[in-house]
Amino acid sequence: AIHLCLLVMNYICAYSLRLDLEMVKTVVFVASSKTLPLSLTVIGVLPAALGEKGLMTLPCILGHFSQIVRLSPSAPPVTSQLPVL
């Protein structure tokens, strides 16, 4: 749900800058993918007694990678159907 909210908010911001369509697609998908920095920040403040922080980051990195792979094919069809504000 938070990813969808970020997508909508970033689309409005990118479109308001009057960028061309390819740049809007790039800005929207890159700016909406904030799961990895957030999860790494949370892991960074966890106490060392909980485990190896390097191992904790692996699922976060794999999840972020799968999110990019899952969303990248949908970029052209989604943005071509977006309404012009």
Side-chain angles (χ1 to χ4, degrees):
I2 193 166
H3 186 69
L4 182 62
C5 291
L6 287 172
L7 280 171
V8 171
M9 183 181 69
N10 289 325
Y11 171 74
I12 292 169
C13 291
Y15 189 80
S16 68
L17 293 173
R18 306 213 186 280
L19 303 173
D20 63 343
L21 184 60
E22 293 299 317
M23 188 63 74
V24 168
K25 287 191 279 188
T26 303
V27 168
V28 167
F29 284 105
V30 170
S32 300
S33 300
K34 297 298 179 201
T35 54
L36 184 62
L38 180 62
S39 61
L40 293 181
T41 302
V42 171
I43 289 173
V45 297
L46 292 175
L50 289 177
E52 180 63 37
K53 292 181 182 182
L55 290 175
M56 288 185 214
T57 61
L58 288 177
C60 301
I61 293 170
L62 291 174
H64 183 71
F65 178 71
S66 68
Q67 182 181 21
I68 291 172
V69 170
R70 186 177 66 240
L71 288 176
S72 59
S74 67
V78 168
T79 55
S80 65
Q81 297 174 0
L82 290 174
V84 176
L85 297 178

